[in-house]
Amino acid sequence: MDLLSVVSGLLPYIKYSIFIFVILMIGYFVFKIFFQKKYTINLSKFIFIILLICWGIVVLGITTLNRPAMFAGQFNLSLLSSYVSSWNKWSVSEFQLIIFNMLMFVPLGVLLPLIHKKNKSFSRVLVITIVFTLCIEIFQFVSGKGIFELDDLLHNTIGSLAGYFFVMAIILSIEQRKLKFAPIVKAISIPIFFVALFGVATVIYNAQEFGNLPFEPSQKQNMDQIDVELETKLSNKSSNACVYYNSNVKDMKNIKSISQSIAQQFELQQQGGIRREGENRQLKFIDDEGLVYYLTYFMSNGFWSFSSENYSEEPPKVDIEQQKQVIENWLDNEGLFPSNAIYQQQDERTIRWDLAEAVDLQTVCDDFSQGFLVITLSDQQIPDNIIYDVSNNEIVGKEKIISQQEAYEALTNGKFNLFNPLQKGDTLTITDVQLGYTYDTKGYYQPIYVFTGSVNDPDSTVEISIPAIP
């Protein structure tokens, strides 16, 4: 779940909270009119209690009620695994979620001391926060509406303490009528720590030659009581392999250039700015008739797609040769038309170009392009769909890589990621290993070892990727 999804999920519960706040405030003033002489209620504390209730509704909504029951019995007891995952993917979305999990609990730490003087105690706020967070995590685990994660407990607690330190600095300054150094230091210590942490991570990341590999695990696969059977021979010799670079990976300039070209070519108006869709980017366009189109840019490999919201299943009557020529001229002028591509007409509205698959990437060490371009035509002279799956890769040099045997040892030690983790008693059978390639987070096309095999059943095939560059 990215930050946009979180914010979208928050909105309904914020509306409910505002409604409850208004109703309770109306109830307060009605109570004051009829019962004020007999009972006294402090208005400020009453407001703080209502705010705490509203906050609780929003938190419960986004962490449990807003989710489908699809995580039954899942838990992650690996502390700081979210940081490892964010680092491996160098993911803005995952960094944002870490911050969001802390910010979400700041109001708890702020409101507790304002509701009752006993809550000015650090230990009391700490215990209340941990108990409340544990209740949410346990409910998620039991209901299947989330994963029990130690990192969530950590981040929620840090967020609540950040709010507590902040409000206590204000309270103590008001009570003593002067600024106190120690409370101010506590109030800014948590924000400064995380700014420094992410700053240091950025410096280290920018200093390293290559990017990170997103497929690397945030925690090791538990290989206890997992039977691993090897049915292929492995080489124990190290070697060298070529490394390539694709400048379009995570290239915001390329996104803007393509979007401007599409808008100009098809006479479309861009609506709004660049929107984040997970790790990808998306732009919205509209034509003179109000029809909507989307451009999606895949940051991990530099591919992109253009699609119509008004796609018709019924094939329109189109002049294929005329539209083909127009599109070829446009892409060629923009330097996007794949050279040496083989053209074919797939059906009465779909055309495509294919580039020959690059071979022997490990040793040839030369620039290469690969991929395909598929276009679904329409009778509006604006394609219903464009899939631009073409990569241009420049040779960088050669790097020493580990042997197949060393990669296999990493596998048996659990240094890999599977969508469905292995369970006790499983049998993992490895039938083949090949040297493959994948893009890292900086756009380098790195060599990796790909082990293929099965789990328990020969039909239950799996692929396991292991980094080849040590």
Side-chain angles (χ1 to χ4, degrees):
M1 183 185 294
D2 60 15
L3 188 60
L4 183 62
S5 301
V6 171
V7 173
S8 299
L10 280 174
L11 292 179
Y13 300 100
I14 290 176
K15 294 177 182 178
Y16 301 149
S17 297
I18 293 174
F19 176 76
I20 292 173
F21 181 86
V22 171
I23 294 299
L24 291 177
M25 287 304 299
I26 292 173
Y28 169 82
F29 288 111
V30 171
F31 177 89
K32 184 176 181 181
I33 293 172
F34 293 101
F35 302 101
Q36 179 66 27
K37 293 181 180 180
K38 190 173 181 180
Y39 303 101
T40 301
I41 297 179
N42 184 288
L43 177 60
S44 61
K45 288 190 176 182
F46 184 74
I47 291 175
F48 293 142
I49 291 173
I50 296 176
L51 289 174
L52 186 63
I53 293 171
C54 293
W55 168 83
I57 291 171
V58 172
V59 170
L60 289 174
I62 191 61
T63 58
T64 57
L65 303 179
N66 191 49
R67 297 178 173 181
M70 56 183 293
F71 304 98
Q74 294 189 34
F75 58 88
N76 179 6
L77 301 181
S78 179
L79 194 61
L80 305 182
S81 61
S82 59
Y83 294 88
V84 178
S85 178
S86 299
W87 170 261
N88 290 341
K89 299 175 182 177
W90 195 246
S91 167
V92 173
S93 295
E94 296 209 17
F95 282 131
Q96 287 177 335
L97 285 177
I98 290 174
I99 300 301
F100 178 80
N101 276 329
M102 288 187 278
L103 292 178
M104 183 170 59
F105 268 68
V106 168
L108 179 62
V110 170
L111 292 171
L112 285 176
L114 297 175
I115 290 173
H116 199 284
K117 61 182 181 181
K118 289 185 177 180
N119 293 335
K120 293 180 181 179
S121 164
F122 171 83
S123 59
R124 188 180 178 90
V125 172
L126 178 63
V127 170
I128 291 174
T129 301
I130 292 176
V131 169
F132 185 79
T133 304
L134 274 174
C135 289
I136 292 177
E137 295 299 313
I138 291 172
F139 180 78
Q140 287 180 332
F141 178 79
V142 173
S143 66
K145 288 180 174 291
I147 301 172
F148 186 105
E149 294 187 272
L150 280 185
D151 275 8
D152 284 349
L153 178 61
L154 172 66
H155 296 142
N156 294 162
T157 303
I158 290 173
S160 179
L161 293 181
Y164 166 78
F165 289 140
F166 174 77
V167 76
M168 286 304 298
I170 296 175
I171 290 173
L172 292 175
S173 296
I174 293 174
E175 290 178 347
Q176 300 180 16
R177 296 184 178 180
K178 64 178 181 179
L179 295 175
K180 300 287 290 183
F181 179 74
I184 293 175
V185 171
K186 290 180 180 179
I188 64 175
S189 60
I190 292 178
I192 288 178
F193 173 79
F194 281 95
V195 169
L197 177 65
F198 294 133
V200 169
T202 301
V203 170
I204 294 174
Y205 177 79
N206 290 330
Q208 65 186 20
E209 182 179 5
F210 301 123
N212 303 329
L213 293 170
F215 66 77
E216 290 202 78
S218 58
Q219 56 180 323
K220 290 175 61 176
Q221 165 73 52
N222 185 359
M223 300 300 288
D224 292 342
Q225 300 183 28
I226 303 295
D227 185 22
V228 182
E229 297 180 354
L230 181 63
E231 296 184 353
T232 185
K233 292 183 178 180
L234 301 176
S235 170
N236 59 5
K237 294 182 179 179
S238 300
S239 60
N240 295 320
C242 310
V243 177
Y244 306 86
Y245 178 69
N246 183 350
S247 61
N248 291 331
V249 173
K250 294 191 175 183
D251 185 3
M252 294 299 295
K253 291 182 179 179
N254 196 40
I255 299 174
K256 295 176 182 177
S257 174
I258 292 170
S259 64
Q260 292 170 359
S261 177
I262 286 176
Q264 181 179 359
Q265 175 67 22
F266 301 118
E267 298 180 353
L268 302 174
Q269 294 295 321
Q270 184 177 323
Q271 299 290 299
I274 300 176
R275 177 177 173 176
R276 184 186 297 275
E277 288 288 330
E279 292 304 312
N280 303 321
R281 302 294 184 271
Q282 189 174 82
L283 295 93
K284 181 179 179 181
F285 299 90
I286 190 169
D287 66 11
D288 294 337
E289 298 180 2
L291 301 179
V292 177
Y293 300 84
Y294 292 97
L295 169 66
T296 303
Y297 193 92
F298 301 93
M299 300 291 281
S300 62
N301 50 32
F303 301 159
W304 54 270
S305 68
F306 175 78
S307 59
S308 169
E309 197 179 61
N310 318 283
Y311 182 84
S312 173
E313 293 294 338
E314 183 177 349
K317 294 181 179 180
V318 297
D319 185 339
I320 289 182
E321 286 303 319
Q322 182 267 335
Q323 289 200 37
K324 169 180 174 291
Q325 191 59 53
V326 169
I327 290 172
E328 280 186 350
N329 291 339
W330 162 53
L331 293 174
D332 191 46
N333 289 335
E334 296 295 329
L336 296 173
F337 191 73
S339 59
N340 302 322
I342 300 173
Y343 169 77
Q344 63 174 308
Q345 180 180 331
Q346 284 194 191
D347 55 38
E348 54 193 344
R349 67 185 301 193
T350 306
I351 57 178
R352 68 178 290 158
W353 292 263
D354 290 275
L355 284 164
E357 185 177 353
V359 295
D360 202 12
L361 294 178
Q362 179 182 354
T363 58
V364 171
C365 290
D366 199 3
D367 298 350
F368 71 95
S369 297
Q370 64 182 7
F372 60 88
L373 169 62
V374 178
I375 300 178
T376 304
L377 305 175
S378 76
D379 54 8
Q380 302 296 318
Q381 298 296 312
I382 304 176
D384 276 337
N385 200 343
I386 300 176
I387 300 177
Y388 190 87
D389 197 339
V390 176
S391 63
N392 299 307
N393 304 278
E394 302 175 359
I395 180 62
V396 173
K398 279 193 172 184
E399 292 289 327
K400 184 178 180 180
I401 61 174
I402 62 176
S403 67
Q404 293 180 348
Q405 183 64 46
E406 290 172 307
Y408 178 72
E409 290 172 3
L411 184 152
T412 55
N413 286 329
K415 296 180 181 179
F416 63 90
N417 186 39
L418 280 179
F419 183 77
N420 294 313
L422 299 174
Q423 305 296 324
K424 288 184 178 180
D426 283 347
T427 298
L428 173 63
T429 303
I430 301 299
T431 56
D432 190 29
V433 58
Q434 297 292 332
L435 189 73
Y437 275 80
T438 191
Y439 286 112
D440 67 19
T441 54
K442 286 187 176 181
Y444 289 97
Y445 206 42
Q446 284 198 33
I448 60 171
Y449 284 109
V450 180
F451 290 86
T452 56
S454 61
V455 177
N456 300 328
D457 184 348
D459 293 330
S460 178
T461 58
V462 294
E463 284 192 352
I464 297 175
S465 298
I466 301 291
I469 298 179

